[in-house]
Amino acid sequence: MDRKKLPIGVSDYKMLISEDYYYVDKTDFIRQIMEEGSLITLLPRPRRFGKTLNLSTLRYFFEKTEGNIYRPLFNGKSIERWKNFDKYQGKYPVILVTLKDCKGDTFEEMLPLLARELQAEFIRHDYLREHIQQADYLDQFIRLQNRKATPDEMAGSLRLLSELLTAYWGTSPLVLLDEYDTPIHVAFDKGYYDRMIGFMRTFMSLVFKDNTDIFRGVITGILRVSKESIFSGLNNIDVDTILEQPMCTSFGFTQEETDRMLDDYSMGNQKDEVKQWYDGYLFGGETIYNPWSVLSFISKGGVLAPYWVNTGSDVLLRHLLADGPSQIREGVESLIQGEPIRSVINDKLAFPDLLAEATNIWSFMLFSGYLKASEPEKNCDDLTEYTLQIPNREVRTVFFTIIRSWINNGPVKNDRLELMLQALKEKNMPIFQRLLNDFVVNTLSYYDTSGRDPEKVYQAFLLGMLVNSGAYEVSSNRESGLGRYDILLRPRDLSKQGVIIELKLYDPMFDKSVDSVLDSALQQIEDKQYAATLHAAGVTDILKMAITFDGKRVWVKTAE
C-alpha cells in the first residue's frame, strides 16, 4: 500500500490533514478541553510532545469563518462523534500566538521577535481594521501590524484583540498561547529574567485575568512557572500537569497508537526496541511514547537513535546537575544504574529558586521530560513523594553525555581518560593512580567532597568516567556474594579482564595509615566474595582494586 508522509516538523493541523500526512487522531482533546477544562487551562508538557499541533487543532475546530471553511478538516475524526460537535464547531473567533521562537540574548532583542508573532496574528485579523471606532485603538492596531508598537502596547495586545473580536463577531474569542515559558527559559539563561517576568505577568494578566471578552483560554509550556511570579491573580486557571489524569493521552503516543503506526510502516517486528528507547513516560498514570522520536525512528528506516534529545539544548540541565546540591549528582548516579529515587515534586517553579533545593531540580527534570514519576505516597510531613526513574534508553544517553562533557571539557582532556583506561587494562597501577589524581584535582570541583558521604561522591565521579568505555558494562551497589560491591566492570568480551573496585575514605585522625585502609578494602572484596557475579558470568581474569582518598588525594592498590 502507499504509505502516507510522516508529519515530522508539521505542527499546523490544516496542513497535516489537507496534505494527507499520517495523523494520530487526537481530536478528542477538543471535547476534553470543553468538558474537563476550566475557563483558563494551562497544559505543561515536555518539548516536542505535540503542544503546538494540539492548539492548532483547537484553532481550526472553533474558528468562526465565512462559510465555515474548516468543517471538512474534521470529517471522519473521532471528535465528529461528540454530542456537542455542532454546538461548538466553527462558532468562535480565535487568537493563536506562539512564543516558541522568542529567544533573544537580551530583553531588547526578544521584543522584536515577539512583535513579529503579534504582527502575524493582527494581520490575520486585518478585516477588523475597517470596523474599529476608537481612534486610539485603531492606531495601536496599525502599530502592532507594522511592528511599531511600544512594549506597553505589546503587553496589552491580546486584550485589545479580544475586545475587537468580541465587538465584531458578537461572541468572545478562544485565546490560545503556545509555549508561553520559552522566553522565560531563555531570559533566565541570558540574565534578564526579572524584566521578562515583569513583562509576561502583564501580557498574560491583561488577557486572562477578569477579561469578560474571552470564551476560553488554553496555555501550553514546559513548566508551570511559579504562580506568585507570573500567574498572580489568575484564580480561574486550571493546571493539568503530567501528574494529572485529565487529557493525559492527548500529548504523545499511547501504546496502541505506537503499535498501529509501526505496523502501518512494516516495522512491527521492532516494537520491543522502540519500547525500550522511546516509551516509559507516565502522564496521569498512562504509559506514553515520545512522539518526535517514534516518528523520526520510522522516518529514518528503523534506526534507533536519541532523536528527541538532539532537538533541544540541555544547557540549563547541565548547570543544575553541576551546581546543584551534591545529592543531585548522587541521585543521578543511582538513576543511570537503574535504581529509582524518591522525591517530593514541586509543580510551581521559579527559575531563581531551582538550585535552592534538590526537590526543585528533580521537579524541573520531571516536567522537562528527563524523568518519569510513579507510586505517589504521603511522607511523614504529609507531602506527596514520587518514585523517579529515567524513562528510557534515549533519555539515559543525556546523563551519560553530560557526565562525559564534565570530563572532556575540564582541564584534563579525554586523551588522559583513554590513557587511564589503558593503564587499567595493563594493570599499570602507578600510571593509573597518577592519572586518576589528575582527574580528581582538576575535575572534582563539580562535586562536593566535603559533605557527609564523600564515598558516594567519588563513586559517582568514577562511574561517570568509566561509562565512557564501551568495553565494559559498568554497575554499582549491586548484590554479589555476601554483600554489595562499590563498582564492578564486566567486560563485554567475557574472555577479557573484569574489575572490582572498593572505595574507602582515609581519615588521618582515626586510620593507622593509607596502606591499612587499602588492605582493608581489598580484604572486604575477598570476605564478601564480590567476584561471584563475574565468576558466574564466566569471567576468569579479575582485577581487584582498592581506592582510598583524603580530600582530593587518591591512592590505589590491587590484590597480588
Side-chain angles (χ1 to χ4, degrees), residues 386-445:
Y386 291 83
T387 294
L388 301 178
Q389 294 172 280
I390 296 174
N392 52 44
R393 286 186 63 179
E394 176 178 30
V395 176
R396 194 165 176 260
T397 66
V398 176
F399 296 103
F400 285 149
T401 300
I402 289 174
I403 290 171
R404 282 196 295 270
S405 75
W406 288 346
I407 297 166
N408 295 345
N409 296 332
V412 182
K413 297 299 182 183
N414 198 41
D415 56 348
R416 291 289 189 90
L417 174 62
E418 294 301 321
L419 289 173
M420 195 179 82
L421 292 172
Q422 185 65 27
L424 180 63
K425 180 180 177 182
E426 296 173 357
K427 302 182 184 179
N428 188 336
M429 289 306 106
I431 295 295
F432 180 85
Q433 178 175 307
R434 179 166 63 79
L435 291 169
L436 179 57
N437 265 297
D438 284 347
F439 266 110
V440 169
V441 168
N442 289 292
T443 310
L444 209 55
S445 59

Side-chain angles (χ1 to χ4, degrees), residues 3 109 213 215 248 252 279 357 397 464 516-517 528 538:
R3 295 193 176 107
E109 289 182 17
D213 289 319
F215 160 58
C248 61
D279 185 20
E357 296 182 31
T397 66
S516 69
V517 177
K528 298 292 187 180

